[in-house]
Amino acid sequence: MENLLTISSLNKTYFSKKKDVEVLKNISLSIKDNEIVSLLGPSGCGKSTLLNIISSLDKDYEGQVDCTSKLGYMFQNDTLLEYLNIFDNITLGLKIKKIKTKENIDYALSLCKKYGLEKFLYLYPASLSGGMRQRVSLIRTLVLKPSLLLLDEPFSRLDAQTRLLIQEDVYQIIKKEGISALIVTHDIEEAIAMSNRILFMSSLPSSITKELQIPFHNSPLKRRKEKEFSSLFSSSFNELKNASK
Ligand code: ADP
Ligand code: MG
């Protein structure tokens, strides 16, 4: 299978006059077609730093980052613009990239129809629930036809109930669209429920301490009912605890 992303021996230090902070140490990982991988680590261990490097926002590092795929992003904050209606938010990326063609608008509309946003198109973000706003934010990304989605703690601002539903929603959409995803999170259950593989990160300077293959192929809500879910939770909890010492 083709690798969409390959990172080899990545090191990252933030340099400043006061103090240098060594954040990432010897990180290597790869993501294949149709894979959902979670990076699970404590707050402040460098997860967002790593995503910034993958997305070329940060070019100041040592090592190799080879990304052949078109990237899409989904963040903690849905970053919808309050003064634009849902349709204009969804097609904003097309406008910025100057590719708001009839064909692309039709594709955006077909995604809205497929994922139940049709009746919201002329409403403004303020009138939508947190979960629905995240769905809009995901569809806005999909309009640009990414092959690898980068998700930076996308559900951490939502209440517990909404979080479960939107995890299910996002998982189903990722699978239906046949794309891959790298999810960074500090939520153990989320990592088990959503991914094929978990990479554990230690506290600073952060390295990958373990890789765990998740034996489930069903959706997040179903996985939570599996017998093995709680033993995977316990071993992940212990791994994180040891890696954070
Ligand atoms: P996470 O996303 O896992 O919570 P971050 O990648 O945001 O972690 O941050 C990792 C570490 O790097 C933290 O200790 C943070 O204080 C530090 N850091 C992040 N950005 C900068 C920066 N621009 N300059 C210096 N230190 C930074
Ligand atoms: Mg972060």
Side-chain angles (χ1 to χ4, degrees):
M1 259 196 287
E2 189 199 352
N3 279 349
L4 297 177
L5 170 71
T6 309
I7 295 177
S8 319
S9 311
L10 173 69
N11 295 308
K12 164 74 188 177
T13 299
Y14 286 111
F15 296 103
S16 73
K17 278 187 191 143
K18 268 193 188 157
K19 194 176 147 223
D20 296 344
V21 187
E22 190 184 9
V23 179
L24 302 174
K25 195 170 180 178
N26 198 21
I27 301 275
S28 297
L29 62 91
S30 63
I31 298 181
K32 295 184 179 61
D33 236 0
N34 275 308
E35 235 193 345
I36 303 181
V37 176
S38 284
L39 271 169
L40 180 60
S43 290
C45 78
K47 301 184 294 299
S48 296
T49 298
L50 182 57
L51 287 194
N52 287 341
I53 290 173
I54 295 170
S55 57
S56 305
L57 287 174
D58 183 349
K59 294 184 173 149
D60 185 17
Y61 58 84
E62 283 175 6
Q64 282 82 47
V65 177
D66 186 13
C67 183
T68 53
S69 48
K70 194 164 170 192
L71 298 173
Y73 308 93
M74 194 171 167
F75 302 103
Q76 202 171 45
N77 177 338
D78 57 48
T79 66
L80 299 181
L81 297 178
E82 300 296 338
Y83 58 90
L84 293 180
N85 68 29
I86 300 307
F87 181 70
D88 289 341
N89 264 291
I90 282 177
T91 52
L92 184 65
L94 296 176
K95 190 172 171 190
I96 291 171
K97 290 185 182 290
K98 297 194 166 64
I99 49 170
K100 203 172 168 186
T101 58
K102 174 160 187 331
E103 190 188 349
N104 286 335
I105 291 174
D106 284 348
Y107 180 62
L109 284 171
S110 72
L111 286 173
C112 291
K113 198 169 167 188
K114 190 168 169 188
Y115 296 118
L117 293 178
E118 253 182 331
K119 54 179 185 289
F120 301 106
L121 291 183
Y122 301 103
L123 298 180
Y124 286 80
S127 59
L128 300 190
S129 66
M132 195 51 93
R133 289 177 66 115
Q134 280 296 44
R135 187 190 289 199
V136 171
S137 149
L138 177 59
I139 303 304
R140 176 173 65 179
T141 294
L142 296 182
V143 165
L144 297 171
K145 301 182 179 162
S147 48
L148 176 61
L149 267 185
L150 303 178
L151 299 98
D152 194 353
E153 312 215 22
F155 316 118
S156 57
R157 294 243 171 102
L158 302 170
D159 64 78
Q161 168 95 0
T162 306
R163 197 182 310 154
L164 293 186
L165 294 175
I166 194 84
Q167 281 169 0
E168 182 76 9
D169 202 30
V170 168
Y171 178 91
Q172 301 281 6
I173 295 174
I174 288 173
K175 286 294 163 198
K176 263 193 201 141
E177 297 301 313
I179 52 185
S180 299
L182 177 62
I183 304 176
V184 309
T185 181
H186 60 259
D187 181 332
I188 298 173
E189 289 189 19
E190 179 169 298
I192 300 170
M194 301 267 316
S195 42
N196 303 112
R197 229 168 4 114
I198 301 179
L199 304 172
F200 291 84
M201 291 176 81
S202 65
S203 42
L204 298 189
S206 187
S207 53
I208 293 175
T209 58
K210 187 184 169 177
E211 174 174 328
L212 178 68
Q213 203 75 35
I214 302 297
F216 305 137
H217 298 284
N218 43 7
S219 72
L221 287 175
K222 290 195 178 120
R223 290 183 188 198
R224 288 172 189 276
K225 293 183 190 141
E226 298 274 358
K227 262 205 315 269
E228 275 171 284
F229 195 91
S230 61
S231 59
L232 287 166
F233 182 90
S234 307
S235 58
S236 301
F237 180 83
N238 287 332
E239 178 60 32
L240 267 191
K241 201 168 73 177
N242 292 335
S244 306
K245 268 179 191 157

mmCIF file of all heavy atoms in Angstrom, residues 14 21 23 41-50 152-153 204, ligand 1:
data_model
loop_
_atom_site.group_PDB
_atom_site.id
_atom_site.type_symbol
_atom_site.label_atom_id
_atom_site.label_comp_id
_atom_site.label_asym_id
_atom_site.label_seq_id
_atom_site.Cartn_x
_atom_site.Cartn_y
_atom_site.Cartn_z
ATOM 1 N N TYR A 14 12.246 24.442 19.805
ATOM 2 C CA TYR A 14 11.934 25.874 19.722
ATOM 3 C C TYR A 14 13.097 26.622 20.361
ATOM 4 O O TYR A 14 13.408 26.404 21.531
ATOM 5 C CB TYR A 14 10.651 26.206 20.494
ATOM 6 C CG TYR A 14 9.374 25.754 19.806
ATOM 7 C CD1 TYR A 14 8.606 24.717 20.340
ATOM 8 C CD2 TYR A 14 8.923 26.370 18.644
ATOM 9 C CE1 TYR A 14 7.424 24.309 19.727
ATOM 10 C CE2 TYR A 14 7.737 25.963 18.021
ATOM 11 C CZ TYR A 14 6.996 24.944 18.569
ATOM 12 O OH TYR A 14 5.837 24.543 17.961
ATOM 13 N N VAL A 21 13.502 24.922 23.882
ATOM 14 C CA VAL A 21 12.629 23.810 24.276
ATOM 15 C C VAL A 21 12.717 22.704 23.231
ATOM 16 O O VAL A 21 12.307 22.890 22.074
ATOM 17 C CB VAL A 21 11.147 24.254 24.406
ATOM 18 C CG1 VAL A 21 10.293 23.127 24.971
ATOM 19 C CG2 VAL A 21 11.015 25.496 25.256
ATOM 20 N N VAL A 23 11.228 19.741 21.713
ATOM 21 C CA VAL A 23 9.842 19.256 21.747
ATOM 22 C C VAL A 23 9.727 17.846 21.146
ATOM 23 O O VAL A 23 9.188 16.941 21.778
ATOM 24 C CB VAL A 23 8.899 20.231 21.001
ATOM 25 C CG1 VAL A 23 7.466 19.713 21.016
ATOM 26 C CG2 VAL A 23 8.938 21.595 21.659
ATOM 27 N N GLY A 41 -1.237 11.618 23.162
ATOM 28 C CA GLY A 41 -0.212 12.081 24.096
ATOM 29 C C GLY A 41 -0.745 13.173 24.989
ATOM 30 O O GLY A 41 -1.765 13.793 24.671
ATOM 31 N N PRO A 42 -0.059 13.424 26.118
ATOM 32 C CA PRO A 42 -0.544 14.426 27.073
ATOM 33 C C PRO A 42 -0.491 15.839 26.488
ATOM 34 O O PRO A 42 0.222 16.074 25.506
ATOM 35 C CB PRO A 42 0.439 14.289 28.238
ATOM 36 C CG PRO A 42 1.656 13.644 27.673
ATOM 37 C CD PRO A 42 1.198 12.789 26.536
ATOM 38 N N SER A 43 -1.241 16.767 27.094
ATOM 39 C CA SER A 43 -1.212 18.158 26.649
ATOM 40 C C SER A 43 0.212 18.678 26.715
ATOM 41 O O SER A 43 0.950 18.363 27.645
ATOM 42 C CB SER A 43 -2.107 19.009 27.545
ATOM 43 O OG SER A 43 -3.433 18.672 27.292
ATOM 44 N N GLY A 44 0.589 19.438 25.724
ATOM 45 C CA GLY A 44 1.913 20.063 25.712
ATOM 46 C C GLY A 44 3.029 19.158 25.237
ATOM 47 O O GLY A 44 4.205 19.498 25.350
ATOM 48 N N CYS A 45 2.705 17.976 24.664
ATOM 49 C CA CYS A 45 3.778 17.061 24.254
ATOM 50 C C CYS A 45 4.218 17.299 22.813
ATOM 51 O O CYS A 45 5.100 16.607 22.306
ATOM 52 C CB CYS A 45 3.374 15.605 24.462
ATOM 53 S SG CYS A 45 2.269 14.970 23.192
ATOM 54 N N GLY A 46 3.596 18.250 22.133
ATOM 55 C CA GLY A 46 4.079 18.578 20.792
ATOM 56 C C GLY A 46 3.206 18.080 19.657
ATOM 57 O O GLY A 46 3.636 18.033 18.509
ATOM 58 N N LYS A 47 1.941 17.754 19.951
ATOM 59 C CA LYS A 47 1.055 17.228 18.914
ATOM 60 C C LYS A 47 0.758 18.295 17.850
ATOM 61 O O LYS A 47 0.858 18.037 16.653
ATOM 62 C CB LYS A 47 -0.248 16.705 19.538
ATOM 63 C CG LYS A 47 -0.029 15.594 20.571
ATOM 64 C CD LYS A 47 -1.338 15.027 21.093
ATOM 65 C CE LYS A 47 -2.173 15.985 21.907
ATOM 66 N NZ LYS A 47 -1.520 16.489 23.144
ATOM 67 N N SER A 48 0.399 19.488 18.309
ATOM 68 C CA SER A 48 0.096 20.554 17.339
ATOM 69 C C SER A 48 1.361 20.971 16.595
ATOM 70 O O SER A 48 1.308 21.286 15.400
ATOM 71 C CB SER A 48 -0.524 21.765 18.043
ATOM 72 O OG SER A 48 -1.766 21.398 18.601
ATOM 73 N N THR A 49 2.493 20.939 17.298
ATOM 74 C CA THR A 49 3.775 21.250 16.646
ATOM 75 C C THR A 49 4.001 20.289 15.480
ATOM 76 O O THR A 49 4.378 20.705 14.380
ATOM 77 C CB THR A 49 4.923 21.110 17.681
ATOM 78 O OG1 THR A 49 4.698 22.050 18.724
ATOM 79 C CG2 THR A 49 6.280 21.347 17.044
ATOM 80 N N LEU A 50 3.734 19.017 15.705
ATOM 81 C CA LEU A 50 3.932 18.009 14.657
ATOM 82 C C LEU A 50 2.979 18.264 13.476
ATOM 83 O O LEU A 50 3.388 18.186 12.312
ATOM 84 C CB LEU A 50 3.714 16.605 15.250
ATOM 85 C CG LEU A 50 3.933 15.422 14.325
ATOM 86 C CD1 LEU A 50 5.330 15.437 13.731
ATOM 87 C CD2 LEU A 50 3.721 14.104 15.077
ATOM 88 N N ASP A 152 -6.899 18.102 14.673
ATOM 89 C CA ASP A 152 -6.214 18.501 15.899
ATOM 90 C C ASP A 152 -7.231 18.648 17.030
ATOM 91 O O ASP A 152 -7.894 19.665 17.145
ATOM 92 C CB ASP A 152 -5.455 19.818 15.682
ATOM 93 C CG ASP A 152 -4.462 20.083 16.819
ATOM 94 O OD1 ASP A 152 -4.472 19.329 17.815
ATOM 95 O OD2 ASP A 152 -3.689 21.041 16.710
ATOM 96 N N GLU A 153 -7.353 17.624 17.843
ATOM 97 C CA GLU A 153 -8.310 17.578 18.960
ATOM 98 C C GLU A 153 -9.665 18.174 18.560
ATOM 99 O O GLU A 153 -10.161 19.081 19.216
ATOM 100 C CB GLU A 153 -7.725 18.323 20.165
ATOM 101 C CG GLU A 153 -6.293 17.899 20.435
ATOM 102 C CD GLU A 153 -5.928 17.861 21.898
ATOM 103 O OE1 GLU A 153 -6.841 17.746 22.724
ATOM 104 O OE2 GLU A 153 -4.730 17.930 22.188
ATOM 105 N N LEU A 204 7.695 15.815 27.109
ATOM 106 C CA LEU A 204 8.865 16.418 26.448
ATOM 107 C C LEU A 204 10.202 15.891 26.960
ATOM 108 O O LEU A 204 10.324 15.636 28.143
ATOM 109 C CB LEU A 204 8.840 17.942 26.646
ATOM 110 C CG LEU A 204 7.652 18.693 26.043
ATOM 111 C CD1 LEU A 204 7.911 20.186 26.142
ATOM 112 C CD2 LEU A 204 7.378 18.286 24.618
HETATM 113 P P1 ADP B 1 0.198 19.901 22.239
HETATM 114 O O1 ADP B 1 -0.459 20.247 20.969
HETATM 115 O O2 ADP B 1 0.569 18.466 22.358
HETATM 116 O O3 ADP B 1 -0.595 20.335 23.447
HETATM 117 P P2 ADP B 1 2.157 21.894 21.408
HETATM 118 O O4 ADP B 1 2.701 21.378 20.128
HETATM 119 O O5 ADP B 1 1.169 22.993 21.332
HETATM 120 O O6 ADP B 1 1.606 20.682 22.302
HETATM 121 O O7 ADP B 1 3.381 22.412 22.312
HETATM 122 C C1 ADP B 1 4.476 21.579 22.678
HETATM 123 C C2 ADP B 1 5.459 22.339 23.558
HETATM 124 O O8 ADP B 1 6.101 23.342 22.787
HETATM 125 C C3 ADP B 1 4.799 23.038 24.729
HETATM 126 O O9 ADP B 1 5.643 22.881 25.845
HETATM 127 C C4 ADP B 1 4.718 24.483 24.306
HETATM 128 O O10 ADP B 1 4.821 25.337 25.413
HETATM 129 C C5 ADP B 1 5.938 24.619 23.393
HETATM 130 N N1 ADP B 1 5.704 25.582 22.298
HETATM 131 C C6 ADP B 1 4.681 25.539 21.402
HETATM 132 N N2 ADP B 1 4.800 26.551 20.522
HETATM 133 C C7 ADP B 1 5.932 27.236 20.849
HETATM 134 C C8 ADP B 1 6.618 28.384 20.311
HETATM 135 N N3 ADP B 1 6.150 29.018 19.237
HETATM 136 N N4 ADP B 1 7.746 28.784 20.934
HETATM 137 C C9 ADP B 1 8.224 28.124 22.019
HETATM 138 N N5 ADP B 1 7.643 27.050 22.574
HETATM 139 C C10 ADP B 1 6.513 26.590 22.004
#
